[in-house]
Amino acid sequence: MMNTLSLNGSWGLRWTDGQRNRMQFATYEKTIPSRYFQATVPGEVHLDLIRQGIIADVYRDTNVLAARWVEEFIWSYRREFEATEEMLSAGNVWLHFQQLDLVASIILNGEEIGTHRNVFYPCRINVTGKLRPGKNILVVHLDSGLYDVCDRPYAGYDGHLNGKLHKRHWLRKQQCSFSWDWSPRLINVGITGDVRLEWTSDPVRLDTVVPLVTVSDDLHEGQVTVRPFMECLADDARVSVRAEIRRGGFYQSVLVSDVEVKRGICCPEAKLIVPQPELWWPVGHGGQPLYDLTVSIEIDGAIIAQQSSRIGFRHVRINQDRHPSEGRYFIIEVNRKPIFCKGGNFVPADLIFMRADRARYDKLTDLALEANFNLLRIWGGGQYETDDFYDLCDEKGILVWQEFIFACCKYPGTDEQFHNEIKREARYNIRRLARHPCLIVWCGNNEMEEGAWHWGYDRGVVHPDYAIFHLTLPRLMAEEDPTRYYQPSSPFSPDYIDPRNPHVGDQHPWFIGFADTDFRKYRPVRPRFPNEGGCLGPTSLPTILACLPEDQRRLHTFAWQTHENSIALMEEPSHTDNMLIQHIGKDPADMSMEEFCYWGGLVQCEGLKEYCDSFRHKMFDVASAIFWMYNDTWPAVRSWTIVDYYLRRTPSFWSVKRALQGVHIVLAEEGDDITVYGINETLEAVSCELRYGIFELAGQYVMDERKDVVLPPNTSTRLASFPRERWEDVNSSLAFGMLLRDGRVIAKNRLALPLMKELRWPKADVKVKVEGGRAVFVSDAFAWGVCLDLDGEKRLEDNMFDLFPGVPHEMAWEFADPPRILRVGNLV
């Protein structure tokens, strides 16, 4: 078995800016200890500097700007260790860095033994014969990437002004670290993964085991093709591969005996057949059974290497059959069942990427389930996520759309060194993630096909990366993981037509959200698979306040602009500020922080409600409601998200939670009619009472119909309609629909035709009482956006909710204090 020595822990760290200090000083046998400070590995330089008090907390105030010098220095890590006789006599010894950020020169005992320049796959160096008895000195010089690409071309690749400084298109690290609209520039640098020595005298080293899992079309048989990638360290060797799979009382084993392998990388496959496998399902559609897979490498009956993982059996098809009216479907089918995909875009969970630990991912995935998600899209400007993230998605039934890390610019794919880096990066991550049943789509990039069609990528440096996504990556997918669907870009239209075509492929409906913020325009469109689009709104109130010094707690101060989404700063006057004036007639410049949090949140509630409602009731002509974006990378005052950096629910969280619940109701204006749709994504039919019609905002029901209905499972059903002409005064009334079971409302919704500010609002008198662990709210008039909390930390059953006239709104209430109504949105 492989022997290891961890080199994690305390290292010395020093710096040079090219003028002060010299990199080579760190490699000297004798050095000056006072020129170092203590660093933690795995770690990141900004974090060490914060601990040392050299820089302030980069998440607060404007400290992120003051820390920008860190990315411009060269950082040298130094660690001494003792080499044992066992290491020195071993047949092979390796130095393994799980992650280096970014451009690294590795020095062992004064000799450069390797270099590395990609954060997305490990660095592994054979150091056999390079260790010395006793003390060894290991030094790693690290550049954030800026020095490495300073002489590389910028013109024609990246259209942003700051691209001249960082040239991110050359650097294989998280692209958002160079700044995005929702993130500042904080270019990470450091030894950000585990470090260890490994040694063995065995003739074979097991690198990784890749299980490719398939299920037959009739769902009766599962197959696991086990690919154990190993390195033969001798001229030849004879090995056996044993693969075992277990779950509960089920056990299956296969032995591939006496395989001859030659020096270099080899992969003797083994196959396991599992009859009647327990199927893995997305959350809400079934369970998530996982099987234990153990693969052993044996020589002469002795196990020399072993790896274990968990796998799941599911049949996945991306249905792009011809649509009967126009174009093609785009439906993700799991186990022969169409799945309406609900969720958001996931960006890195921290500005300093390695800070995100399993506990943080656990909370983020729990909050996604609380918001009724079943899918997260890993956006192409972020990162291939950690094993913890995918393990949690496997366990919780959250589907993952994974993109290779390219976004919104042109990349130098014709450069041979860059192209080879991409191949190594892609191969490593395809193999690493193959075991996860949650992963159902690989996508080449974010919005670069859009750029090729509409952003001028055919000018200047013409399509330098097109072959990466249309040749290199699909070849690697076919070779490494042919079990998964791949498409070159998102959005992407098959048959190589315009990626903005709504009738084929996936879509990013950004015709709403920037200059045009009239959310009602979502209502008539029918994109096949919308997986990016949204609107801006405030984060939670404590997060807003944490961003700002007390003397800058108002809009457009310097600290505000530092933590503001840059979309809100791209126009004067700001489209984002005008969105509030457009919808509610209120100028955010006149608001306190608490007022901005509520009113901005209420408008974002409406925007995301319209996005989700407009697409859900059209299932499966439309097969998703995936918005931009779910989570934040750092503390913001305004963002696209429903969960902010501090893992607090933003005001719009509650609107999304209601819009994506398993049983839902939507009203739609269709031609001359108002139509009521019932949506049921549960496993069983739902029998209930439908109540629908029109009520005046002041409280009178001018049309109030009732009927018994049955909602079949996994479908949207047209339940009722009435002529639009019956709705006479649209400025004083709303169309409504409710689903009731045993007299209790299980889903409700309403439809307004004018903008909210154009309605004639009454004052609402909201009353609340708590009985038997339940809070009951009631109002004589319609009450819009009843707010109980702006902190976002309590797990309330509901918040920012509407009250229909005279209709009780109930929720569990397990808190000592009774509910306190902070605000109601009626514009009086």
Side-chain angles (χ1 to χ4, degrees):
M1 304 292 283
M2 187 68 70
N3 303 285
T4 64
L5 173 68
S6 172
L7 297 180
N8 291 350
S10 180
W11 290 52
L13 182 63
R14 62 184 297 160
W15 57 273
T16 177
D17 61 0
Q19 182 70 32
R20 290 166 177 79
N21 293 316
R22 297 291 183 268
M23 293 166 58
Q24 62 267 28
F25 294 168
T27 68
Y28 289 179
E29 288 286 334
K30 293 185 178 180
T31 188
I32 302 173
S34 60
R35 290 190 175 178
Y36 294 80
F37 57 85
Q38 187 180 62
T40 300
V41 172
E44 198 275 341
V45 171
H46 292 87
L47 293 179
D48 290 313
L49 297 176
I50 293 170
R51 279 191 289 267
Q52 296 290 330
I54 296 172
I55 63 173
D57 183 348
V58 296
Y59 300 87
R60 298 187 69 89
D61 302 340
T62 59
N63 299 329
V64 70
L65 303 178
R68 192 162 285 181
W69 59 270
V70 176
E71 69 196 37
E72 299 173 359
F73 282 24
I74 303 293
W75 297 92
S76 298
Y77 285 80
R78 177 182 169 113
R79 167 75 187 256
E80 297 179 4
F81 65 92
E82 297 287 322
T84 65
E85 181 57 37
E86 184 184 11
M87 293 181 204
L88 296 171
S89 61
N92 284 277
V93 186
W94 297 269
L95 179 61
H96 181 95
F97 295 89
Q98 188 61 30
Q99 189 177 72
L100 291 167
D101 193 353
L102 176 66
V103 181
S105 170
I106 299 101
I107 313 293
L108 180 62
N109 298 325
E111 176 190 355
E112 184 177 75
I113 57 171
T115 61
H116 196 70
R117 50 175 39 83
N118 194 318
V119 81
F120 297 130
Y121 68 89
C123 173
R124 187 178 186 84
I125 304 168
N126 193 310
V127 295
T128 307
K130 298 184 183 298
L131 299 178
R132 62 191 184 190
K135 185 179 77 171
N136 288 258
I137 301 172
L138 176 61
V139 173
V140 181
H141 301 305
L142 277 171
D143 158 23
S144 69
L146 299 185
Y147 284 93
D148 192 56
V149 299
C150 61
D151 58 349
R152 299 292 183 93
Y154 155 80
Y157 286 98
D158 185 347
H160 292 87
L161 180 63
N162 63 355
K164 289 185 177 182
L165 295 176
H166 54 66
K167 300 178 182 177
R168 70 172 175 90
H169 51 285
W170 288 98
L171 296 172
R172 295 313 299 152
K173 63 191 298 178
Q174 297 88 346
Q175 299 291 276
C176 58
S177 67
F178 302 96
S179 80
W180 226 265
D181 62 280
W182 39 268
S183 176
R185 190 170 101 205
L186 189 91
I187 305 177
N188 289 201
V189 59
I191 301 177
T192 48
D194 292 329
V195 185
R196 62 181 179 271
L197 281 166
E198 299 179 352
W199 66 94
T200 187
S201 293
D202 292 328
V204 171
R205 177 186 72 86
L206 179 60
D207 184 65
T208 190
V209 174
V210 178
L212 301 179
V213 181
T214 57
V215 175
S216 61
D217 286 348
D218 62 8
L219 309 182
H220 294 328
E221 182 178 277
Q223 178 174 291
V224 186
T225 300
V226 178
R227 292 180 171 179
F229 289 92
M230 62 186 75
E231 181 182 7
C232 180
L233 306 169
D235 290 335
D236 56 66
R238 304 196 78 85
V239 302
S240 297
V241 178
R242 185 183 302 275
E244 302 167 283
I245 189 169
R246 294 179 173 86
R247 175 171 167 78
F250 174 82
Y251 174 80
Q252 181 72 269
S253 174
V254 65
L255 178 67
V256 179
S257 301
D258 203 27
V259 178
E260 184 177 10
V261 294
K262 300 291 185 181
R263 185 178 294 277
I265 300 296
C266 51
C267 183
E269 288 188 358
K271 293 186 185 296
L272 283 162
I273 302 298
V274 178
Q276 303 297 329
E278 295 183 60
L279 297 177
W280 184 96
W281 289 92
V283 61
H285 296 271
Q288 293 79 46
L290 297 171
Y291 287 72
D292 296 312
L293 175 68
T294 301
V295 177
S296 307
I297 307 301
E298 302 176 1
I299 295 180
D300 297 330
I303 296 174
I304 65 162
Q306 190 174 78
Q307 286 187 17
S308 296
S309 61
R310 294 189 302 169
I311 61 173
F313 289 91
R314 80 284 184 274
H315 183 286
V316 176
R317 176 182 180 238
I318 310 302
N319 179 351
Q320 297 189 75
D321 294 345
R322 291 287 178 188
H323 191 278
S325 61
E326 187 174 5
R328 299 174 182 269
Y329 290 103
F330 193 107
I331 304 171
I332 293 175
E333 297 177 352
V334 179
N335 302 328
R336 316 290 296 176
K337 179 181 181 180
I339 306 297
F340 188 90
C341 294
K342 308 177 295 184
N345 282 256
F346 194 92
V347 299
D350 204 290
L351 187 64
I352 299 175
F353 306 107
M354 60 82 55
R355 281 188 84 189
D357 58 11
R358 186 179 180 91
R360 188 168 182 83
Y361 286 117
D362 194 24
K363 179 68 171 177
L364 280 165
T365 48
D366 277 351
L367 285 166
L369 294 180
E370 186 183 337
N372 293 308
F373 283 21
N374 62 19
L375 183 144
L376 291 168
R377 174 184 177 234
I378 308 301
W379 168 76
Q383 63 184 0
Y384 310 97
E385 279 297 345
T386 67
D387 292 336
D388 285 333
F389 171 82
Y390 301 100
D391 286 343
L392 289 164
C393 289
D394 287 344
E395 294 167 9
K396 299 178 183 183
I398 301 173
L399 300 172
V400 174
W401 171 300
Q402 175 70 54
E403 296 185 351
F404 291 95
I405 307 306
F406 303 89
C408 300
C409 74
K410 291 182 277 187
Y411 290 84
T414 57
D415 181 271
E416 183 177 5
Q417 182 188 55
F418 183 88
H419 186 256
N420 288 338
E421 278 294 328
I422 296 309
K423 289 167 66 177
R424 286 189 286 267
E425 167 191 321
R427 194 184 303 276
Y428 171 78
N429 283 289
I430 295 168
R431 290 178 180 178
R432 178 174 73 95
L433 301 183
R435 69 180 178 87
H436 293 286
C438 66
L439 177 56
I440 42 87
V441 168
W442 272 104
C443 176
N445 65 68
N446 174 72
E447 291 186 345
M448 290 166 60
E449 193 83 5
E450 165 83 8
W453 279 76
H454 297 288
W455 299 351
Y457 284 11
D458 55 351
R459 299 190 298 271
V461 182
V462 178
H463 304 312
D465 46 30
Y466 203 72
I468 292 176
F469 311 112
H470 294 266
L471 183 63
T472 301
L473 292 179
R475 277 183 175 177
L476 284 171
M477 288 299 304
E479 177 184 340
E480 299 290 346
D481 187 358
T483 70
R484 282 182 170 86
Y485 171 82
Y486 168 85
Q487 69 179 41
S489 187
S490 177
F492 180 75
S493 296
D495 306 323
Y496 294 91
I497 58 179
D498 189 336
R500 292 184 181 176
N501 190 307
H503 305 298
V504 291
D506 64 317
Q507 292 79 29
H508 295 186
W510 280 119
F511 63 93
I512 299 299
F514 292 101
D516 191 342
T517 52
D518 186 348
F519 316 129
R520 297 171 300 177
K521 294 180 181 177
Y522 287 131
R523 295 175 182 176
V525 300
R526 305 179 86 87
R528 294 289 179 240
F529 197 88
N531 56 6
E532 184 180 320
C535 60
L536 285 163
T539 55
S540 69
L541 183 58
T543 295
I544 293 173
L545 298 178
C547 294
L548 307 172
E550 287 192 17
D551 62 347
Q552 295 194 49
R553 289 181 173 174
R554 60 190 183 280
L555 263 67
H556 308 316
T557 61
F558 189 70
W560 178 280
Q561 291 179 66
T562 302
H563 290 265
E564 173 69 283
N565 188 285
S566 72
I567 300 299
L569 301 173
M570 286 183 175
E571 301 286 344
E572 288 193 10
S574 166
H575 296 318
T576 311
D577 288 348
N578 285 344
M579 180 172 74
L580 274 67
I581 298 171
Q582 174 190 12
H583 284 273
I584 60 175
K586 294 180 181 288
D587 189 340
D590 299 330
M591 296 178 183
S592 68
M593 295 295 90
E594 190 268 346
E595 289 169 334
F596 170 77
C597 186
Y598 174 72
W599 290 110
L602 191 56
V603 171
Q604 190 183 30
C605 280
E606 289 298 305
L608 293 178
K609 171 188 179 299
E610 289 283 4
Y611 186 94
C612 297
D613 282 355
S614 296
F615 301 144
R616 280 197 79 194
H617 82 271
K618 298 164 187 167
M619 65 187 290
F620 285 96
D621 282 351
V622 181
S624 71
I626 301 164
F627 63 91
W628 183 264
M629 62 188 194
Y630 170 53
N631 62 306
D632 267 324
T633 290
W634 93 307
V637 293
R638 179 157 41 190
S639 190
W640 308 99
T641 57
I642 66 167
V643 172
D644 69 27
Y645 172 74
Y646 293 112
L647 306 184
R648 298 174 176 132
R649 302 160 185 85
T650 73
S652 61
F653 177 93
W654 312 99
S655 175
V656 170
K657 178 184 176 182
R658 289 189 296 270
L660 298 183
Q661 66 188 24
V663 177
H664 191 44
I665 187 169
V666 174
L667 293 90
E669 184 181 22
E670 297 180 331
D672 295 329
D673 292 328
I674 303 298
T675 306
V676 183
Y677 289 90
I679 300 156
N680 176 18
E681 292 181 59
T682 70
L683 300 179
E684 305 291 337
V686 173
S687 298
C688 54
E689 180 186 24
L690 168 66
R691 182 182 176 189
Y692 70 99
I694 302 166
F695 60 68
E696 293 180 349
L697 295 173
Q700 182 178 354
Y701 285 81
V702 297
M703 174 185 168
D704 194 356
E705 304 288 339
R706 297 172 184 257
K707 62 186 290 191
D708 292 332
V709 295
V710 176
L711 280 59
N714 205 40
T715 192
S716 172
T717 304
R718 186 177 184 274
L719 300 179
S721 67
F722 60 89
R724 163 69 176 78
E725 63 186 18
R726 292 188 62 180
W727 192 356
E728 296 178 354
D729 186 357
V730 298
N731 292 97
S732 296
S733 58
L734 299 176
F736 77 94
M738 291 183 277
L739 297 175
L740 300 97
R741 180 183 286 166
D742 300 326
R744 279 191 170 178
V745 176
I746 60 173
K748 67 181 181 183
N749 211 334
R750 41 74 180 173
L751 176 68
L753 297 185
L755 295 171
M756 289 302 193
K757 72 177 183 181
E758 296 168 344
L759 296 174
R760 292 190 287 273
W761 288 94
K763 184 177 180 179
D765 181 19
V766 179
K767 293 181 170 57
V768 58
K769 61 180 178 180
V770 178
E771 293 180 344
R774 297 192 67 79
V776 182
F777 301 81
V778 68
S779 173
D780 56 342
F782 175 72
W784 179 37
V786 178
C787 176
L788 307 181
D789 176 72
L790 290 172
D791 291 350
E793 294 176 351
K794 289 182 180 178
R795 182 165 183 169
L796 302 175
E797 191 172 305
D798 205 359
N799 190 23
M800 304 293 287
F801 53 84
D802 296 341
L803 295 177
F804 292 0
V807 177
H809 183 84
E810 295 189 29
M811 69 176 75
W813 194 263
E814 300 173 353
F815 307 101
D817 295 328
R820 187 166 69 93
I821 298 168
L822 301 182
R823 286 187 176 270
V824 177
N826 291 25
L827 299 169
V828 293

